[in-house]
Amino acid sequence: MSLDWLDAFLVSGTFGVVEIVGLGLLLHLQVGLTRIANFGVVGFWGLGLYTFGVLYVQVDWPFGEPWQFLFSALAASLAAALAGLVVAWLIADLDSDGALVGTLGFSAIVLILATTQDQLTGGALGLGGLGFPYDLGTTKANELLWLALMTALVGLILGYVWWVHRTPYGRLLIAIGSNEPLARSMGKHTTGAKLTLFAITCGLMGLLGAMHGVMVRFLDIGSLDVGITLAALAGLILGGTARVWGAVIGVLLTVGLFDIVIQFYVPLPQEWFTQAIPVLREAVFGALLVVVLLFRPQGLLGQMRRSKLIRAMHDG
Amino acid sequence: MGDQRRSSIRVEQVQKSYAGRMVVDVDELVLGDVPIEGLLGPNGAGKTTLMRMVMNSVSPDAGRITLNSSDGSTTTLSSLPTHKMAHHGVVKSTQVITDFDQLTILDSMLLAVATTGHEFPVRPGAERSLMSANEDEIRSYLERFGFADATAIAMSAGEKKLLDILRCLLLKPSILLLDEPTAGLPDEVTAKVLEVIRELAADGTSVVIVEHDLDVIWELCDEVTFMAEGRVLMKDDPASIRANATVIEKYLGAGHG
């Protein structure tokens, strides 16, 4: 099958959008429902990325693909889940400011470790040697299939988030976000629920990081800066933190606009894309956060519509 | 079940002071050994602080608070985390009006009846089994108290207050502490709430009620504990408390009794 018609950068650009939608959806469970301010998304994602990359490249695996990928990705998810558990435990009793600083600090630790442990991670020089767990003949075909697999994974995450809103578990998360002391007085082990939530969602962020590693096939500490946290947060907040589709709509309108629409369909001088656009992108996301929080803090989709959902589920 | 042994709370040598002022100083008190017990006293008598210490949301400076369950077991409440209180059957309504700002009335009620099993992060069909197991009870409460729309978020103070009491009832307490349960409720709803409290007490729950509406106390309680300045001054049947000279002097004032 010839894929000459397909721009390779379009595949990687779309992959990036799908990935950030996935991160935004997981962030929706943490911030939108349970109201725990996680500013360290890149830490959990990056821990997954680096754990995956280092295990994949540095370990002399006794078996081939796809097991090498599966084992490394599983270990990466578990590492991120464990980190999520520990971070959640540390910030469990803090207010939003404390949680924000704690999670941001965690992402800084991940960056420092990736930079300083250069014998394992390649440090500032980066680490190559990653690859797809299959071979379809051309890089473009491999990337396209990987994009399809990533889309399927994010589709599953979307399905899970949609379902959580309709379960007693989701109700518990909303209760914790709304009034944790009241939930506790009703016999709910709210700290346990927050820890479990972080283990699951941060583990999945780590899995998204491992998937990213396969796509880029190179570990680069530049990817551990605040960019991916900012992109996921800006998208989620623009779309609406409390709504299932908030992350999807918001990320499409922000990352999708910059990395797909402007990149491929707006005729601008080539040098802009290497120089001005990436910087402008971060600046616009930052400004967008400020404007949305000032004028429409509930986001484009607005508040949670719990009444409508409950009516639909239990017919009045 | 009237003759069944009730759960009760024993308060021993409990003291609590704020900024050098003793707000609670109770030598010995048993709460809940009668179906409905009233806790009465002027503002600042230490009633609410005592209730909070029972729930371990405030720690006593000294002393011990234990739960003697109807099955004969004993639990020290002052070392029990708040979220475990409800599992031991000790439930308290809130004095200040409070609610979940994102949850509907039906949500609140389903939250109260949901177990840890229902709330597992991955459990298909949990909502359906939760609803089918509790639908009759929830619907009967909804019909009885006539919420305008159970799928809406509670708006008025009265609705929130009532919802708080319903949440407590749905937790199936063995000891129910009610802090001013009827404050802010319309008369007809107050009557319904008192009726439910009576039924609950008749079914074996020990109810302890702090209330400023004296008619509620005289009408509802089997026994009344009178507190002033942090101390328990007397514990007796409502008629004796009502006629007591100290109570009249410290609380009821002239013209009552």
Side-chain angles (χ1 to χ4, degrees):
Chain A
M1 182 175 64
S2 167
L3 293 168
D4 292 344
W5 53 273
L6 188 65
D7 189 326
F9 288 106
L10 187 60
V11 177
S12 60
T14 310
F15 184 90
V17 173
V18 173
E19 178 176 21
I20 295 170
V21 167
L23 290 172
L25 284 165
L26 297 168
L27 200 54
H28 156 70
L29 293 181
Q30 300 175 345
V31 179
L33 295 195
T34 322
R35 294 189 188 159
I36 306 173
N38 180 3
F39 267 48
V41 173
V42 70
F44 302 103
W45 174 87
L47 185 66
L49 169 65
Y50 267 77
T51 307
F52 170 76
V54 169
L55 287 177
Y56 191 89
V57 175
Q58 309 284 25
V59 174
D60 194 10
W61 293 97
F63 38 69
E65 297 289 11
W67 300 108
Q68 189 177 347
F69 163 76
L70 289 174
F71 269 88
S72 305
L74 180 68
S77 310
L78 290 177
L82 189 65
L85 202 63
V86 173
V87 170
W89 177 66
L90 289 171
I91 64 171
D93 291 330
L94 303 181
D95 60 6
S96 293
D97 302 355
L100 191 154
V101 174
T103 50
L104 198 61
F106 167 72
S107 65
I109 293 172
V110 172
L111 174 60
I112 291 168
L113 283 177
T115 313
T116 54
Q117 303 304 306
D118 50 359
Q119 285 184 326
L120 281 176
T121 64
L125 294 175
L127 183 70
L130 287 86
F132 293 100
Y134 51 78
D135 190 7
L136 299 180
T138 64
T139 304
K140 201 183 274 183
N142 286 342
E143 287 188 344
L144 197 60
L145 177 57
W146 201 243
L147 169 62
L149 290 173
M150 184 64 151
T151 309
L153 172 63
V154 172
L156 285 177
I157 293 176
L158 174 63
Y160 177 67
V161 170
W162 182 89
W163 177 79
V164 162
H165 276 254
R166 289 155 177 79
T167 62
Y169 177 60
R171 181 177 292 121
L172 173 64
L173 296 182
I174 298 170
I176 293 172
S178 283
N179 193 338
E180 191 176 353
L182 182 56
R184 208 180 285 143
S185 79
M186 288 168 73
K188 306 297 175 187
H189 190 354
T190 58
T191 307
K194 291 199 285 190
L195 263 57
T196 314
L197 170 75
F198 255 60
I200 295 172
T201 47
C202 294
L204 286 169
M205 286 178 179
L207 179 59
L208 292 175
M211 296 288 286
H212 178 89
V214 172
M215 190 67 172
V216 297
R217 301 186 291 289
F218 187 79
L219 296 183
D220 168 22
I221 54 163
S223 62
L224 297 182
D225 68 12
V226 75
I228 204 156
T229 305
L230 188 63
L233 259 180
L236 179 64
I237 289 174
L238 175 69
T241 53
R243 301 290 296 276
V244 177
W245 291 92
V248 182
I249 304 283
V251 171
L252 287 178
L253 289 177
T254 50
V255 185
L257 180 73
F258 267 89
D259 295 3
I260 307 285
V261 178
I262 296 181
Q263 192 92 27
F264 294 98
Y265 300 106
V266 180
L268 293 171
Q270 196 54 46
E271 63 271 21
W272 285 29
F273 291 108
T274 49
Q275 302 288 324
I277 299 280
V279 181
L280 193 65
R281 179 181 181 268
E282 307 276 287
V284 168
F285 287 179
L288 192 72
L289 268 183
V290 175
V291 171
V292 173
L293 288 175
L294 271 178
F295 296 106
R296 198 173 160 81
Q298 71 274 38
L300 293 177
L301 293 181
Q303 301 286 6
M304 198 181 291
R305 289 195 298 191
R306 195 73 196 164
S307 296
K308 200 176 163 211
L309 177 68
I310 288 298
R311 218 167 290 147
M313 282 163 60
H314 298 293
D315 43 59
Chain B
M1 301 220 300
D3 55 346
Q4 173 199 314
R5 206 181 146 208
R6 291 177 173 277
S7 294
S8 61
I9 289 167
R10 178 179 285 274
V11 180
E12 292 165 287
Q13 271 116 36
V14 164
Q15 293 185 329
K16 180 76 192 172
S17 57
Y18 288 114
R21 194 174 77 87
M22 188 71 84
V23 288
V24 172
D25 183 8
V26 174
D27 211 27
E28 178 150 29
L29 175 66
V30 176
L31 290 170
D33 51 350
V34 292
I36 306 180
E37 174 152 357
L39 203 51
L40 195 67
N43 285 330
K47 310 180 296 285
T48 296
T49 307
L50 180 64
M51 292 274 228
R52 287 188 179 149
M53 285 194 287
V54 168
M55 296 308 290
N56 202 17
S57 58
V58 167
S59 316
D61 298 337
R64 215 161 88 97
I65 300 175
T66 46
L67 166 73
N68 297 319
S69 300
S70 51
D71 62 8
S73 62
T74 305
T75 315
T76 305
L77 293 182
S78 9
S79 59
L80 205 63
T82 309
H83 74 266
K84 289 200 173 154
M85 291 281 173
H87 299 296
H88 282 82
V90 184
V91 170
K92 178 179 170 294
S93 73
T94 50
Q95 183 191 24
V96 182
I97 291 171
T98 180
D99 193 16
F100 300 106
D101 60 359
Q102 298 278 8
L103 289 182
T104 66
I105 291 166
L106 189 56
D107 269 320
S108 263
M109 298 176 80
L110 286 167
L111 181 71
V113 291
T115 62
T116 313
H118 291 116
E119 285 162 348
F120 195 68
V122 192
R123 187 181 154 189
E127 180 75 3
R128 210 175 312 120
S129 73
L130 174 67
M131 189 64 183
S132 62
N134 297 284
E135 188 161 13
D136 292 347
E137 188 181 18
I138 288 177
R139 297 254 179 248
S140 79
Y141 277 132
L142 288 175
E143 275 165 30
R144 189 162 181 181
F145 291 100
F147 283 104
D149 178 7
T151 60
I153 289 168
M155 296 305 280
S156 70
E159 256 188 347
K160 287 181 184 181
K161 186 94 193 175
L162 183 58
L163 183 57
D164 189 45
I165 292 170
L166 291 190
R167 275 193 294 255
C168 293
L169 298 180
L170 288 165
L171 290 171
K172 314 224 170 21
S174 59
I175 294 216
L176 177 61
L177 309 175
L178 296 167
D179 202 345
E180 301 195 33
T182 64
L185 291 183
D187 287 348
E188 69 274 17
V189 181
T190 298
K192 285 179 187 169
V193 169
L194 298 186
E195 193 182 292
V196 175
I197 292 173
R198 267 194 210 99
E199 288 172 15
L200 201 67
D203 277 350
T205 299
S206 310
V207 180
V208 180
I209 176 167
V210 171
E211 179 61 69
H212 282 293
D213 184 341
L214 293 170
D215 290 337
V216 170
I217 293 281
W218 306 144
E219 196 188 313
L220 199 64
C221 297
D222 300 293
E223 205 168 55
V224 176
T225 296
F226 183 75
M227 287 182 75
E229 290 145 19
R231 291 165 189 278
V232 173
L233 298 191
M234 59 185 298
K235 182 168 169 161
D236 216 329
D237 61 272
S240 312
I241 292 278
R242 199 174 178 174
N244 184 276
T246 319
V247 178
I248 293 172
E249 179 208 331
K250 286 197 180 280
Y251 186 58
L252 302 177
H256 284 270

Short mmCIF file of all heavy atoms in Angstrom, two decimals, chain A residues 169-205:
data_model
loop_
_atom_site.label_atom_id
_atom_site.label_comp_id
_atom_site.label_asym_id
_atom_site.label_seq_id
_atom_site.Cartn_x
_atom_site.Cartn_y
_atom_site.Cartn_z
N TYR A 169 -18.87 5.18 41.60
CA TYR A 169 -17.48 5.64 41.76
C TYR A 169 -17.36 7.11 41.36
O TYR A 169 -16.77 7.92 42.08
CB TYR A 169 -16.55 4.76 40.90
CG TYR A 169 -15.10 5.19 40.94
CD1 TYR A 169 -14.40 5.22 42.15
CD2 TYR A 169 -14.42 5.54 39.77
CE1 TYR A 169 -13.07 5.61 42.18
CE2 TYR A 169 -13.09 5.92 39.81
CZ TYR A 169 -12.42 5.95 41.02
OH TYR A 169 -11.10 6.34 41.05
N GLY A 170 -17.94 7.45 40.21
CA GLY A 170 -17.90 8.84 39.75
C GLY A 170 -18.59 9.77 40.74
O GLY A 170 -18.13 10.87 41.02
N ARG A 171 -19.72 9.29 41.29
CA ARG A 171 -20.46 10.08 42.27
C ARG A 171 -19.59 10.34 43.51
O ARG A 171 -19.58 11.45 44.04
CB ARG A 171 -21.73 9.31 42.66
CG ARG A 171 -22.61 10.03 43.65
CD ARG A 171 -23.86 9.23 43.92
NE ARG A 171 -24.73 9.18 42.78
CZ ARG A 171 -25.13 8.07 42.17
NH1 ARG A 171 -24.74 6.90 42.62
NH2 ARG A 171 -25.94 8.12 41.14
N LEU A 172 -18.84 9.32 43.91
CA LEU A 172 -17.93 9.48 45.06
C LEU A 172 -16.86 10.53 44.74
O LEU A 172 -16.57 11.40 45.57
CB LEU A 172 -17.29 8.14 45.40
CG LEU A 172 -16.19 8.16 46.47
CD1 LEU A 172 -16.75 8.59 47.82
CD2 LEU A 172 -15.53 6.80 46.60
N LEU A 173 -16.31 10.48 43.52
CA LEU A 173 -15.27 11.45 43.15
C LEU A 173 -15.85 12.87 43.16
O LEU A 173 -15.22 13.80 43.67
CB LEU A 173 -14.70 11.14 41.76
CG LEU A 173 -13.95 9.81 41.60
CD1 LEU A 173 -13.40 9.68 40.18
CD2 LEU A 173 -12.83 9.68 42.61
N ILE A 174 -17.06 13.03 42.62
CA ILE A 174 -17.69 14.36 42.60
C ILE A 174 -17.96 14.82 44.04
O ILE A 174 -17.77 15.99 44.38
CB ILE A 174 -19.00 14.34 41.78
CG1 ILE A 174 -18.71 13.98 40.32
CG2 ILE A 174 -19.69 15.70 41.83
CD1 ILE A 174 -19.94 13.70 39.48
N ALA A 175 -18.40 13.89 44.89
CA ALA A 175 -18.67 14.23 46.29
C ALA A 175 -17.39 14.71 46.97
O ALA A 175 -17.40 15.70 47.71
CB ALA A 175 -19.24 13.02 47.02
N ILE A 176 -16.28 14.04 46.71
CA ILE A 176 -15.00 14.44 47.31
C ILE A 176 -14.62 15.83 46.82
O ILE A 176 -14.20 16.70 47.60
CB ILE A 176 -13.89 13.42 46.97
CG1 ILE A 176 -14.17 12.09 47.66
CG2 ILE A 176 -12.51 13.95 47.39
CD1 ILE A 176 -13.25 10.96 47.24
N GLY A 177 -14.81 16.07 45.52
CA GLY A 177 -14.49 17.38 44.95
C GLY A 177 -15.39 18.47 45.50
O GLY A 177 -14.96 19.60 45.72
N SER A 178 -16.66 18.12 45.75
CA SER A 178 -17.63 19.12 46.22
C SER A 178 -17.49 19.43 47.70
O SER A 178 -17.59 20.59 48.10
CB SER A 178 -19.06 18.60 46.02
OG SER A 178 -19.46 18.69 44.71
N ASN A 179 -17.32 18.41 48.52
CA ASN A 179 -17.35 18.61 49.97
C ASN A 179 -16.74 17.39 50.65
O ASN A 179 -17.45 16.48 51.09
CB ASN A 179 -18.81 18.82 50.41
CG ASN A 179 -18.92 19.34 51.83
OD1 ASN A 179 -18.00 19.18 52.63
ND2 ASN A 179 -20.04 19.97 52.14
N GLU A 180 -15.43 17.37 50.71
CA GLU A 180 -14.75 16.17 51.23
C GLU A 180 -15.10 15.85 52.69
O GLU A 180 -15.34 14.69 53.02
CB GLU A 180 -13.23 16.27 51.03
CG GLU A 180 -12.56 14.94 51.31
CD GLU A 180 -11.06 14.95 51.05
OE1 GLU A 180 -10.55 15.95 50.53
OE2 GLU A 180 -10.42 13.95 51.40
N PRO A 181 -15.15 16.86 53.60
CA PRO A 181 -15.48 16.54 54.99
C PRO A 181 -16.86 15.88 55.12
O PRO A 181 -17.04 14.95 55.90
CB PRO A 181 -15.46 17.90 55.69
CG PRO A 181 -14.61 18.76 54.84
CD PRO A 181 -14.80 18.29 53.44
N LEU A 182 -17.82 16.35 54.32
CA LEU A 182 -19.16 15.76 54.38
C LEU A 182 -19.12 14.31 53.88
O LEU A 182 -19.74 13.43 54.48
CB LEU A 182 -20.13 16.61 53.55
CG LEU A 182 -21.59 16.18 53.53
CD1 LEU A 182 -22.17 16.09 54.93
CD2 LEU A 182 -22.43 17.13 52.68
N ALA A 183 -18.39 14.08 52.79
CA ALA A 183 -18.27 12.71 52.27
C ALA A 183 -17.64 11.80 53.32
O ALA A 183 -18.07 10.67 53.53
CB ALA A 183 -17.44 12.71 50.99
N ARG A 184 -16.64 12.32 54.02
CA ARG A 184 -15.96 11.53 55.05
C ARG A 184 -16.91 11.21 56.19
O ARG A 184 -16.94 10.08 56.70
CB ARG A 184 -14.75 12.31 55.55
CG ARG A 184 -13.65 11.44 56.05
CD ARG A 184 -12.47 12.25 56.52
NE ARG A 184 -11.70 12.80 55.44
CZ ARG A 184 -11.12 14.01 55.47
NH1 ARG A 184 -11.25 14.78 56.52
NH2 ARG A 184 -10.41 14.43 54.45
N SER A 185 -17.73 12.19 56.55
CA SER A 185 -18.67 11.95 57.66
C SER A 185 -19.73 10.94 57.26
O SER A 185 -20.41 10.38 58.12
CB SER A 185 -19.32 13.26 58.11
OG SER A 185 -20.35 13.61 57.21
N MET A 186 -19.89 10.71 55.95
CA MET A 186 -20.85 9.69 55.51
C MET A 186 -20.19 8.32 55.40
O MET A 186 -20.75 7.39 54.82
CB MET A 186 -21.43 10.08 54.15
CG MET A 186 -22.38 11.25 54.23
SD MET A 186 -22.75 11.88 52.59
CE MET A 186 -23.81 10.59 51.96
N GLY A 187 -18.97 8.20 55.95
CA GLY A 187 -18.31 6.90 55.97
C GLY A 187 -17.46 6.62 54.75
O GLY A 187 -17.02 5.49 54.55
N LYS A 188 -17.23 7.65 53.92
CA LYS A 188 -16.43 7.42 52.71
C LYS A 188 -14.95 7.58 53.03
O LYS A 188 -14.55 8.59 53.63
CB LYS A 188 -16.82 8.41 51.61
CG LYS A 188 -18.31 8.43 51.29
CD LYS A 188 -18.78 7.10 50.75
CE LYS A 188 -20.28 7.08 50.55
NZ LYS A 188 -20.79 5.77 50.19
N HIS A 189 -14.16 6.60 52.62
CA HIS A 189 -12.72 6.67 52.83
C HIS A 189 -12.15 7.53 51.69
O HIS A 189 -11.67 7.03 50.68
CB HIS A 189 -12.12 5.27 52.81
CG HIS A 189 -10.70 5.20 53.24
ND1 HIS A 189 -9.94 6.32 53.51
CD2 HIS A 189 -9.87 4.16 53.46
CE1 HIS A 189 -8.73 5.96 53.87
NE2 HIS A 189 -8.65 4.66 53.84
N THR A 190 -12.23 8.85 51.89
CA THR A 190 -11.92 9.77 50.79
C THR A 190 -10.43 9.76 50.42
O THR A 190 -10.09 9.85 49.24
CB THR A 190 -12.34 11.21 51.15
OG1 THR A 190 -11.65 11.59 52.34
CG2 THR A 190 -13.83 11.31 51.39
N THR A 191 -9.56 9.60 51.42
CA THR A 191 -8.13 9.56 51.10
C THR A 191 -7.82 8.34 50.24
O THR A 191 -7.11 8.43 49.24
CB THR A 191 -7.29 9.52 52.40
OG1 THR A 191 -7.71 10.60 53.23
CG2 THR A 191 -5.82 9.66 52.12
N GLY A 192 -8.39 7.20 50.62
CA GLY A 192 -8.19 5.98 49.83
C GLY A 192 -8.67 6.17 48.40
O GLY A 192 -8.00 5.76 47.45
N ALA A 193 -9.83 6.83 48.25
CA ALA A 193 -10.38 7.03 46.91
C ALA A 193 -9.47 7.94 46.08
O ALA A 193 -9.27 7.71 44.88
CB ALA A 193 -11.77 7.63 47.01
N LYS A 194 -8.89 8.96 46.73
CA LYS A 194 -8.00 9.87 46.00
C LYS A 194 -6.71 9.16 45.57
O LYS A 194 -6.21 9.36 44.47
CB LYS A 194 -7.67 11.11 46.86
CG LYS A 194 -8.88 12.01 47.05
CD LYS A 194 -8.50 13.42 47.49
CE LYS A 194 -8.09 13.48 48.92
NZ LYS A 194 -7.95 14.86 49.41
N LEU A 195 -6.20 8.32 46.47
CA LEU A 195 -4.99 7.56 46.15
C LEU A 195 -5.23 6.61 44.98
O LEU A 195 -4.42 6.50 44.06
CB LEU A 195 -4.50 6.80 47.39
CG LEU A 195 -3.40 7.46 48.21
CD1 LEU A 195 -3.82 8.85 48.68
CD2 LEU A 195 -2.99 6.61 49.40
N THR A 196 -6.36 5.91 45.04
CA THR A 196 -6.69 4.97 43.96
C THR A 196 -6.85 5.71 42.64
O THR A 196 -6.34 5.27 41.61
CB THR A 196 -8.01 4.24 44.28
OG1 THR A 196 -7.97 3.82 45.63
CG2 THR A 196 -8.21 3.04 43.38
N LEU A 197 -7.54 6.84 42.70
CA LEU A 197 -7.74 7.63 41.48
C LEU A 197 -6.40 8.03 40.87
O LEU A 197 -6.19 7.90 39.66
CB LEU A 197 -8.55 8.90 41.80
CG LEU A 197 -8.61 9.90 40.65
CD1 LEU A 197 -9.56 9.42 39.58
CD2 LEU A 197 -9.00 11.28 41.12
N PHE A 198 -5.49 8.52 41.71
CA PHE A 198 -4.19 8.95 41.18
C PHE A 198 -3.40 7.77 40.64
O PHE A 198 -2.72 7.90 39.62
CB PHE A 198 -3.40 9.71 42.25
CG PHE A 198 -3.40 11.19 42.01
CD1 PHE A 198 -4.59 11.88 41.96
CD2 PHE A 198 -2.22 11.89 41.76
CE1 PHE A 198 -4.62 13.24 41.68
CE2 PHE A 198 -2.23 13.25 41.48
CZ PHE A 198 -3.43 13.92 41.45
N ALA A 199 -3.46 6.63 41.32
CA ALA A 199 -2.72 5.46 40.83
C ALA A 199 -3.22 5.09 39.43
O ALA A 199 -2.42 4.88 38.51
CB ALA A 199 -2.88 4.29 41.79
N ILE A 200 -4.53 5.06 39.25
CA ILE A 200 -5.09 4.66 37.95
C ILE A 200 -4.77 5.71 36.88
O ILE A 200 -4.23 5.39 35.82
CB ILE A 200 -6.63 4.49 38.05
CG1 ILE A 200 -6.96 3.32 38.98
CG2 ILE A 200 -7.24 4.26 36.68
CD1 ILE A 200 -8.44 3.19 39.30
N THR A 201 -5.11 6.97 37.16
CA THR A 201 -4.97 7.99 36.12
C THR A 201 -3.50 8.29 35.81
O THR A 201 -3.14 8.46 34.65
CB THR A 201 -5.71 9.28 36.52
OG1 THR A 201 -5.37 9.60 37.86
CG2 THR A 201 -7.20 9.13 36.42
N CYS A 202 -2.65 8.33 36.84
CA CYS A 202 -1.24 8.62 36.58
C CYS A 202 -0.59 7.42 35.88
O CYS A 202 0.29 7.59 35.03
CB CYS A 202 -0.50 8.96 37.86
SG CYS A 202 -1.08 10.51 38.57
N GLY A 203 -1.04 6.20 36.22
CA GLY A 203 -0.55 5.01 35.51
C GLY A 203 -0.86 5.10 34.02
O GLY A 203 -0.02 4.80 33.17
N LEU A 204 -2.08 5.55 33.72
CA LEU A 204 -2.47 5.70 32.30
C LEU A 204 -1.69 6.83 31.62
O LEU A 204 -1.36 6.74 30.44
CB LEU A 204 -3.99 5.92 32.18
CG LEU A 204 -4.82 4.67 32.44
CD1 LEU A 204 -6.30 5.02 32.57
CD2 LEU A 204 -4.63 3.65 31.31
N MET A 205 -1.39 7.90 32.39
CA MET A 205 -0.55 8.96 31.83
C MET A 205 0.82 8.38 31.47
O MET A 205 1.41 8.71 30.44
CB MET A 205 -0.38 10.11 32.84
CG MET A 205 -1.62 10.98 32.99
SD MET A 205 -1.38 12.27 34.24
CE MET A 205 -2.97 13.10 34.16
#
